[in-house]
Amino acid sequence: MSVLSNEKKRALAERMFINEGMSCKEISIQIDVSEQTLSRWRKGRTGEKDWDNRRAEVISAPHVIKEILLKELKLVAEGEKPNVDADALAKISKVLETVSGKVSVQVVLSVFQEFDNWMASQEPEVAVSFLEWHKRFILYKASVE
């Protein structure tokens, strides 16, 4: 991956850490960047939320909660014991939506991801052009929350 610029490596590392939940050690190996550099990037740029907070937002996004609940449903359907308390998870999610009174970053992220997947199947080239704008809007939205 040495052909990638540092900026592209940073963007890739950011996605791998926040969206894919990878550890810095795993990312370091895959994109050939030191863990020290990743630690510095992880703190975020001036005015940005750090990667840990953004990862927490992604994990609590409605589409992620839905994935967790679907996995739990499969376990129950197969006669196994669930790993999480689905009722508690649903209640917490509902309270968060109610308390905020506005569309959260998590909901925006979830909708953008659904849109991006749909757009990629329609017009892949156009879908790519939306990604940077979606990222910018999510960063803006996160900064005003």
Side-chain angles (χ1 to χ4, degrees):
M1 288 220 170
S2 59
V3 293
L4 291 178
S5 68
N6 273 347
E7 192 58 34
K8 287 184 180 181
K9 284 184 179 183
R10 184 185 193 283
L12 181 59
E14 181 178 14
R15 183 183 54 77
M16 293 166 90
F17 183 85
I18 294 169
N19 297 335
E20 297 173 23
M22 293 177 68
S23 71
C24 286
K25 186 173 188 102
E26 293 171 314
I27 297 167
S28 172
I29 293 167
Q30 285 204 9
I31 65 171
D32 193 30
V33 172
S34 73
E35 287 185 60
Q36 192 173 31
T37 297
L38 287 169
S39 178
R40 195 173 56 250
W41 288 349
R42 194 171 163 179
K43 292 176 185 174
R45 292 181 172 140
T46 305
E48 281 184 354
K49 285 186 181 180
D50 62 71
W51 290 7
D52 293 296
N53 283 324
R54 291 178 41 218
R55 177 192 262 181
E57 290 173 350
V58 168
I59 290 170
S60 62
H63 73 282
V64 174
I65 293 171
K66 182 179 176 182
E67 286 176 25
I68 292 169
L69 292 173
L70 287 171
K71 286 177 186 173
E72 293 302 302
L73 177 62
K74 183 177 182 238
L75 285 175
V76 172
E78 293 171 347
E80 296 185 36
K81 187 176 180 184
N83 295 319
V84 297
D85 182 350
D87 290 334
L89 191 61
K91 287 176 185 175
I92 291 167
S93 178
K94 184 67 175 169
V95 169
L96 286 172
E97 288 176 24
T98 304
V99 171
S100 73
K102 59 183 178 178
V103 177
S104 68
V105 172
Q106 295 91 338
V107 172
V108 171
L109 180 62
S110 182
V111 170
F112 277 171
Q113 286 180 330
E114 186 176 343
F115 172 81
D116 292 340
N117 290 337
W118 173 81
M119 192 66 197
S121 69
Q122 305 300 308
E123 295 282 339
E125 300 82 25
V126 175
V128 170
S129 69
F130 279 111
L131 292 176
E132 182 61 28
W133 289 106
H134 288 170
K135 178 182 172 185
R136 288 182 189 186
F137 180 76
I138 288 168
L139 290 173
Y140 160 77
K141 183 90 172 133
S143 73
V144 297
E145 277 191 0

